[in-house]
Amino acid sequence: MESFITDKAYINGKWESVADSFEVLNPYNGEVVGRAADCDKALAEATVKHAHVAFQSWKNTCAKARSSILKKWFELILKNQKSLAELITKENGKPIKESIGEVAYAASFVEWLAEEAKRNYGTTIPTPHPNKRLMSIKQPIGVAGMITPWNFPAGMITRKACAAIAAGCTVVLKPAEDTPFSALAIAKLGEEAGLPAGVLNIIPSSREHAPEIGNVICTHPDVAAVSFTGSTATGKILLGLAASTVKKVSMELGGLAPFIVFDSADMNKVIPNAIACKFRYMGQTCVCANRIFVQESVHDEFVSKLVAAMKKELILGDTLDPANSFGPLINEKALEKVVESQVEDAIKNGATVVCGGKRGSLGGTFYEPTLITGVTPAMKCCNEETFGPIAAIIKFKTEDEVIALANDSRVGLAGYFFSNDVAQCWRVAEKLEVGMVGINEGLMSTAEAPFGGVKESGLGREGSQFALDEFTEMKYMCWGV
């Protein structure tokens, strides 16, 4: 793993030293994982130029050749799965079993997109004129600028960058300042797989330099597409910047996922899915259950069984130890401004803390898995993305009532519900205003399916047969004959 930790940036096929660096800390113990290159505006601009030059040749590489490199990359990621997983856990505190799963998840996108590179089809169009022939082709858009988050530091790299690379684009990517080494490790394996110089460029930066690099990515005239995963507030800022040069933009932004339990649901299936959907990576994912709606006739049973499962399955400790399933939050800011403020607000407004509700006994940024009942739609935990281990339970009476509550939000990324009534499943799935719906299932992301939201949860889709569309332009050709 040590070979993956570097204080260099990866630019135009070279590992470049930069003037400044910043510390990356392990959330579990506060120890320094390593020092990362602190890139700035000037270096970002130079990197875009390198990527633009590399695009002139990469766009002409045949799809089969791009696919071959991606397949080798996939194999190298799986070969290094253990080391990559340990690196993820050291950078962001994710339980090691989940990190191992993330590496497999990241690799699955490389494999899938290797195949999609060869299936980026155009169309022939029936003509209304006897002396004309009509067709369309898809072409790579150009340099793709990317900004990725800390919660999936391997998965977000491959899901975004490999789609662009498969389409024939080049990439300039700024990883989150909390997790730069995972991005650089993925790039190193891409280099070993045969990626030409300038096709993938990784420019880490500290929080202080992040705004200026984001500005370059979103406004530089040689960047044709922007892909971002992060908060809705930041996404709106970047979208405004990208408008100055009318870039193609794809964004996966914040969510407020409803998790609905109807009275016909099989509680033996609901509880393990609730644990997975709410508490994986301590609730720090954009698709985690944020508002848990439970029909009143099964409310008490659900709460009792979920609390028992939480106490049994969520084991706090060093997340490099596979015996532990629950670690620290990413940093103090996340703990104070999101989790503690939401719990305090809920208690102040009449909610009851059934379990948890305080910092963990291990200190640091540990926060106990928490379940709150008596939650109302006016509370912060129902209106702000939690990104933490709070299960906020809201009781409801009817299907129409819960649909209205679930849709009462300006965001719409993921939604989940559990029911054994087939007709109800169809009704609710169609009515939920989200981009993705889990029906009797709490974990649904896969390389083969489109990932993305509606409303203020973003633009575009990642993964699936549509993944390359975010990085291509359609060209129409009309032939006179």
Side-chain angles (χ1 to χ4, degrees), residues 382-460:
C382 282
N383 294 281
E384 299 175 0
E385 188 173 27
T386 300
F387 244 65
I390 304 172
I393 313 300
I394 305 118
K395 190 184 295 186
F396 74 92
K397 294 178 183 286
T398 69
E399 179 183 315
D400 287 342
E401 175 195 6
V402 77
I403 292 295
L405 289 169
N407 289 340
D408 186 19
S409 171
R410 284 303 310 149
V411 294
L413 187 57
Y416 311 86
F417 68 90
F418 290 76
S419 169
N420 278 340
D421 180 333
V422 175
Q424 182 177 62
C425 287
W426 277 108
R427 290 194 304 270
V428 175
E430 291 181 348
K431 290 179 181 178
L432 283 178
E433 295 172 359
V434 294
M436 302 172 286
V437 182
I439 306 165
N440 295 320
E441 179 55 58
L443 297 174
M444 56 182 168
S445 181
T446 180
E448 294 79 5
F451 190 104
V454 299
K455 299 181 178 177
E456 293 181 15
S457 282
L459 303 165

Side-chain angles (χ1 to χ4, degrees), residues 43-56:
L43 195 55
E45 290 175 338
T47 304
V48 170
K49 290 294 184 183
H50 287 305
H52 182 66
V53 171
F55 174 65
Q56 307 313 313

Side-chain angles (χ1 to χ4, degrees), residues 139-181:
Q139 294 182 301
I141 194 169
V143 177
M146 301 181 175
I147 302 173
T148 56
W150 47 262
N151 57 347
F152 285 90
M156 292 302 95
I157 306 300
T158 59
R159 194 164 83 181
K160 292 178 182 295
C162 291
I165 290 168
C169 298
T170 56
V171 173
V172 175
L173 188 148
K174 192 206 87 65
E177 60 270 15
D178 299 287
T179 55
F181 299 129

Side-chain angles (χ1 to χ4, degrees), residues 345-365:
D345 173 78
I347 294 171
K348 178 182 176 181
N349 288 284
T352 300
V353 176
V354 178
C355 68
K358 59 182 183 298
R359 292 184 178 232
S361 59
L362 295 175
T365 56

Side-chain angles (χ1 to χ4, degrees), residues 289-341:
N290 211 95
R291 300 167 293 159
I292 302 177
F293 300 97
V294 185
Q295 202 152 20
E296 58 182 3
S297 61
V298 293
H299 174 274
D300 293 351
E301 178 190 3
F302 173 83
V303 169
S304 175
K305 289 184 175 180
L306 184 57
V307 168
M310 289 166 62
K311 292 179 177 179
K312 178 182 178 182
E313 297 180 28
L314 304 178
I315 311 301
L316 279 67
D318 182 355
T319 44
L320 278 173
D321 183 345
N324 299 321
S325 58
F326 200 90
L329 299 188
I330 187 68
N331 53 41
E332 184 68 21
K333 181 181 177 182
L335 194 155
E336 289 179 357
K337 294 195 174 181
V338 180
V339 179
E340 286 189 330
S341 68

